[in-house]
Amino acid sequence: MQFSITRRQLGIALLALAAVATSSKVRAGTLEDVKKKGVVVIGIQGDNPPWGYVDSSGKLDGIDADMGRAFAEYLGVKAEFTPLAVANRIPALTTGRVDILFATMAMLPERAKAVQYSKPYVANEITLVAAKATPINSNSDMGKYVIGVPRSSTQDTQVTNNAPSGTEIRRFDDDAATIQALLSGQVQAVGANLFYPQRLNAAKPELGFEPKLHFTALYNGACTRLGDKEWNETVNKFIDQIKSDGKLAAFYAKWMKVPVPTFPDQVPGVPFTVQ
């Protein structure tokens, strides 16, 4: 599956305008509030296929969009998506702009101090990606190049932690901008998720982009506000249901092109339930 990023800016701009227009009508609240309004406000990335992205018609799509729509159906309400940049995901939840995040939220202990994670529903891998001709064989080689990452992302953390002191790391607003920086030659390598090579090679197949270094395997969960037991229990029941009824397997087959992995019962430092 190939994903176009040429319409990204227009699509996100239209969605952002729609979000502003509806912000006075749709506000985050309790589950009872959501059911009374008939709308659940879902924070999602708008530029990171196949997780969440704007398609050619301006509609949000991807596995996180399908998860969000399925969760809204589970609640018996409509889904209202708010596209977010990487750095804005947690603030949007904690300030009440959105009710819940299905937004490529890797399970990290530092994030778990600010938001409540659900059980995991999707897996990811963080790598360093560069063109085939770029010789990067170890962490120390990163210091020879300018490396791009999406600001405040897991890629940012992994590259920062693994690159030698003095490495030039350029931080961009989102995944699409990071990918474009590599394609345009602003950087020579990027901190990447599982699907960066596919997107890069769709744009410039002659360069043969490939993972050079493997940093970590991660799991993503939905996020609700800290201490909100009702929201957390509800989303966990939803995830249990779609795992058992085959809906998650269908989403995986559609977007990830691999079977659903075996998810861990725990992630160190990241509780799946309100303590």
Side-chain angles (χ1 to χ4, degrees):
M1 184 180 296
Q2 295 183 359
F3 305 98
S4 170
I5 61 174
T6 58
R7 300 180 179 89
R8 168 187 160 272
Q9 291 181 329
L10 175 60
I12 291 178
L14 291 172
L15 283 166
L17 287 172
V20 170
T22 60
S23 62
S24 62
K25 301 177 183 178
V26 182
R27 301 297 296 175
T30 66
L31 273 171
E32 183 180 358
D33 292 335
V34 164
K35 291 177 180 179
K36 284 181 179 179
K37 290 184 298 187
V39 176
V40 58
V41 187
I42 299 168
I44 190 170
Q45 284 194 275
D47 67 333
N48 191 16
W51 318 99
Y53 72 102
V54 180
D55 69 12
S56 59
S57 67
K59 174 187 173 184
L60 272 161
D61 216 346
I63 192 168
D64 281 342
D66 277 352
M67 288 289 294
R69 283 187 280 265
F71 181 63
E73 182 180 355
Y74 177 81
L75 295 180
V77 300
K78 294 181 180 179
E80 178 77 35
F81 288 110
T82 298
L84 301 169
V86 170
N88 294 337
R89 293 173 297 178
I90 289 176
L93 178 65
T94 57
T95 61
R97 284 185 59 206
V98 301
D99 294 305
I100 190 169
L101 295 175
F102 287 97
T104 330
M105 288 295 293
M107 291 178 155
L108 302 174
E110 57 268 30
R111 289 179 179 171
K113 296 174 183 177
V115 297
Q116 175 61 56
Y117 277 98
S118 69
K119 297 177 180 180
Y121 65 86
V122 71
N124 194 6
E125 185 177 6
I126 304 302
T127 65
L128 188 79
V129 167
K132 186 175 183 179
T134 305
I136 301 176
N137 300 303
S138 66
N139 286 0
S140 61
D141 290 334
M142 286 193 282
K144 304 172 186 176
Y145 303 98
V146 181
I147 300 175
V149 295
R151 184 180 292 107
S152 301
S153 66
T154 309
Q155 295 102 289
D156 188 347
T157 301
Q158 289 297 317
V159 168
T160 301
N161 289 346
N162 286 281
S165 177
T167 300
E168 183 175 353
I169 301 172
R170 294 185 185 175
R171 294 172 172 84
F172 300 91
D173 287 340
D174 50 40
D175 293 277
T178 305
I179 286 172
Q180 188 56 42
L182 182 54
L183 291 171
S184 65
Q186 296 178 60
V187 300
Q188 290 79 54
V190 293
N193 67 35
L194 190 62
F195 289 91
Y196 269 44
Q198 181 178 331
R199 296 172 67 181
L200 288 159
N201 286 318
K204 288 191 174 182
E206 68 277 8
L207 295 182
F209 292 100
E210 62 185 12
K212 299 290 186 177
L213 303 173
H214 293 262
F215 294 133
T216 188
L218 294 170
Y219 298 94
N220 296 353
C223 292
T224 52
R225 282 175 286 279
L226 281 177
D228 198 322
K229 189 172 183 179
E230 186 180 25
W231 270 102
N232 173 248
E233 288 182 344
T234 300
V235 70
N236 277 336
K237 288 177 182 177
F238 160 71
I239 290 172
D240 285 341
Q241 178 174 301
I242 64 171
K243 286 178 179 177
S244 63
D245 67 14
K247 189 168 287 185
L248 183 60
F251 292 161
Y252 247 81
K254 177 181 178 182
W255 296 109
M256 313 303 282
K257 306 301 184 186
V258 295
V260 178
T262 299
F263 294 108
D265 293 329
Q266 58 183 359
V267 172
V270 183
F272 302 163
T273 59
V274 173
Q275 303 299 298

